[in-house]
Amino acid sequence: GPGAEPGRGIDVSKPVVSIVMGSDSDLETMKESAAILAKFAVPCELRVFSAHRSPNLLARYVRAAERGGVMVFIAGAGAAAALPGSVAALTTRPVLGVPLPSSHLQGLDALLAIAQMPAGTPAAALAIGVAGAKNAALLAIQILALSNRPLAGKLSAFKAAQEREIGKKDARVRRLG
Ligand code: RP5
């Protein structure tokens, strides 16, 4: 199967994670998802589709992406953020939504739109903005790592490195006391 095989690395020839966004103005934030995936050598693709403004292109893409081996979708959108829900309506693969602070309501609108999905069509809602974009990528990696041991190992190493960094901060702050 594509993407995630236990005990083996990921097939880097085709994207296993799809990062879609509602507009090219979302790219600055959604690039952060791609950067994390690149660090873990998980191939992804970045695409622009609007749930409201290009519904036909979106539907065609989601089906093609599934056939092409995409296992997890990350969808970032601002304002009346319908994109994660629209992707979720078209696939049975996990959809991770990132609310973007691009409107006058600074992402609270997008957060509520993504989080308040009706029962039956789940889309996860991450934090607003860069933290959400980064965590969507990490969550996608965690999902893939369930059936991919090398990726699980990289996640453990990432957590250990993160803990060491906080330990260094603690040592630095403690010396001031
Ligand atoms: C949303 O509206 C997009 O996801 C974007 O965050 C926001 C603004 O889009 P543009 O007007 O820049 O195309 O649908």
Side-chain angles (χ1 to χ4, degrees):
E5 286 145 46
R8 268 183 266 167
I10 273 181
D11 173 4
V12 292
S13 66
K14 46 192 177 185
V16 285
V17 176
S18 161
I19 303 170
V20 294
M21 63 207 84
S23 174
D24 58 351
S25 60
D26 298 329
L27 181 60
E28 204 48 38
T29 305
M30 297 314 295
K31 274 200 300 213
E32 302 282 349
S33 293
I36 300 258
L37 291 164
K39 268 196 203 145
F40 284 81
V42 172
C44 69
E45 64 182 0
L46 289 151
R47 300 291 302 266
V48 174
F49 294 101
S50 167
H52 295 127
R53 295 179 284 194
S54 68
N56 300 301
L57 293 176
L58 175 67
R60 210 180 306 156
Y61 168 73
V62 171
R63 302 219 160 87
E66 268 196 351
R67 280 196 302 277
V70 164
M71 306 297 273
V72 182
F73 291 88
I74 294 173
L83 188 60
S86 295
V87 174
L90 294 161
T91 183
T92 55
R93 306 213 169 147
V95 179
L96 311 178
V98 182
L100 299 176
S102 50
S103 75
H104 291 288
L105 299 182
Q106 290 159 324
L108 187 57
D109 43 1
L111 173 65
L112 297 178
I114 294 169
Q116 290 297 99
M117 286 294 292
T121 306
L126 281 300
I128 296 169
V130 169
K134 289 181 172 174
N135 278 344
L138 288 169
L139 202 50
I141 293 162
Q142 289 178 334
I143 291 166
L144 296 169
L146 289 171
S147 54
N148 186 295
R149 244 172 268 126
L151 213 45
K154 286 188 199 176
L155 278 169
S156 301
F158 169 83
K159 287 254 191 209
Q162 188 165 247
E163 185 149 24
R164 279 195 300 277
E165 283 309 308
I166 299 297
K168 280 188 214 162
K169 288 180 195 215
D170 173 50
R172 214 177 307 131
V173 169
R174 231 177 137 170
R175 277 196 297 274
L176 301 173

